[in-house]
Amino acid sequence: MIAWLLTHAASTRFAVVAGVFAVLLVLQLRMPRRGDHSAPGRYVRNLSLPLISAAIVYLLLPLTLVGLATLLAERQLGLFNLLDWPPLIELAITIIVFDLAIYWQHRAMHELPWLWRLHRLHHTDLDFELTLGLRFHPFEILFSLLCKALVIAALGAAPLAVLCCEILLAAFALFSHADIRIAKRWDQVLRRFVITPDWHRVHHSVHRAETDSNYGNLLSIWDRLFGSATEQPRDGHLGMRLGLDEFRDEASQRLRGMLMQPFLDATTPTGKNDKPHA
């Protein structure tokens, strides 16, 4: 079974994440938090980005992350390939380290000018709903893959653990952006451990202090531990404005404008041209 999953890692990941997307879409339509459901064209543009990214990754990178983990295992490279730890312990550590690395990668993308250029497309969306979890520039996807590859190489993470991480992190990227109404008492319980939509929506606020907070992808502990947590938006979840003020025009929301984001000179929320966002 494991051999089959690894042989069909890409299709397995796609099938599981597509299933999560479908479930969240139904929940979003039946129990919306804000009703951020704009014109169909926006959905098409947001869904086009991962397809473009997948094509670029396929053309440029010789190995998938699971393929890299398999190669490292064959050559006995990386920490876990030198140790004899139980697979579940290795899986847990891999998930935690992956998530911590993604936290710092995300934070760096707000603090370093050249990385903010790659990332700010994700913040130009004026709505907060499921497809926003797929709205990333292909250059950011490439950078993220390289960062993950470094983590895999250092850990010598098992191929199955890498596949599990990819599925889990992709699923939470969708969940945390879904426009789903979760009862306050349940949200308060969940956010103690994982990122909820209400927790992450704060990160998409127009207010700089809120945008530069709540960086986590899976676990909420990192924001609390490193002082970047904002529990609630100042304007309330129903009244808060989303996006970046300098990219609210129609041209910025078209696919061409979205793909051109890293090459545009624009005043960032810091008030200075191409300076760090935080």
Side-chain angles (χ1 to χ4, degrees):
M1 180 64 178
I2 293 178
W4 187 91
L5 287 175
L6 295 178
T7 302
H8 301 86
S11 56
T12 299
R13 179 180 182 274
F14 177 82
V16 175
V17 175
V20 171
F21 182 94
V23 171
L24 291 174
L25 181 60
V26 171
L27 292 175
Q28 181 172 271
L29 292 173
R30 293 180 63 88
M31 42 187 289
R33 179 72 158 100
R34 284 168 47 103
D36 282 336
H37 309 296
S38 58
R42 173 183 163 278
Y43 297 137
V44 172
R45 292 189 292 271
N46 283 359
L47 292 172
S48 295
L49 286 172
L51 298 178
I52 295 171
S53 297
I56 293 174
V57 167
Y58 178 79
L59 291 173
L60 294 183
L61 298 185
L63 287 174
T64 64
L65 295 181
V66 172
L68 173 61
T70 302
L71 180 64
L72 292 169
E74 291 173 351
R75 301 187 179 183
Q76 290 295 289
L77 298 174
L79 178 64
F80 291 149
N81 288 313
L82 302 177
L83 303 173
D84 188 22
W85 287 1
L88 287 180
I89 298 296
E90 291 188 6
L91 173 61
I93 293 174
T94 300
I95 291 173
I96 292 170
V97 173
F98 250 77
D99 196 51
L100 176 59
I102 290 173
Y103 168 87
W104 282 110
Q105 174 199 312
H106 191 179
R107 188 162 179 169
M109 284 187 151
H110 282 247
E111 297 180 353
L112 302 178
W114 65 279
L115 287 179
W116 173 243
R117 279 176 170 259
L118 303 185
H119 180 61
R120 68 184 176 190
L121 167 63
H122 183 62
H123 284 270
T124 61
D125 205 330
L126 306 181
D127 295 331
F128 186 93
E129 58 79 45
L130 188 57
T131 65
L132 176 55
L134 300 170
R135 184 183 170 119
F136 296 97
H137 197 279
F139 290 173
E140 179 176 356
I141 296 297
L142 285 171
F143 178 76
S144 180
L145 285 173
L146 292 175
C147 290
K148 292 175 183 176
L150 291 175
V151 174
I152 292 170
L155 288 179
L160 183 60
V162 172
L163 177 59
C164 290
C165 279
E166 285 200 276
I167 292 173
L168 186 61
L169 296 175
F172 262 86
L174 292 175
F175 171 68
S176 64
H177 290 93
D179 182 36
I180 295 176
R181 185 178 68 256
I182 298 176
K184 184 176 180 180
R185 65 182 182 278
W186 286 110
D187 182 80
Q188 291 300 317
V189 172
L190 288 172
R191 65 168 52 203
R192 293 177 184 174
F193 308 100
V194 299
I195 305 302
T196 67
D198 272 12
W199 175 276
H200 189 69
R201 188 181 296 105
V202 177
H203 181 71
H204 286 266
S205 166
V206 294
H207 300 303
R208 173 186 165 190
E210 294 178 350
T211 307
D212 293 336
S213 68
N214 295 13
Y215 296 109
N217 182 80
L218 171 59
L219 302 174
S220 59
I221 187 175
W222 310 127
D223 284 301
R224 294 191 174 95
L225 186 61
F226 299 113
S228 57
T230 299
E231 292 289 340
Q232 299 294 337
R234 70 176 74 171
D235 300 324
H237 284 286
L238 298 182
M240 65 184 294
R241 293 176 71 241
L242 307 172
L244 300 177
D245 284 336
E246 64 271 31
F247 293 112
R248 307 188 81 85
D249 58 289
E250 184 178 347
S252 297
Q253 302 301 322
R254 294 174 183 160
L255 185 58
R256 182 180 182 278
M258 293 162 69
L259 292 173
M260 289 298 293
Q261 264 293 327
F263 309 103
L264 298 178
D265 288 324
T267 302
T268 67
T270 59
K272 296 181 181 180
N273 240 18
D274 301 319
K275 293 296 183 182
H277 184 55

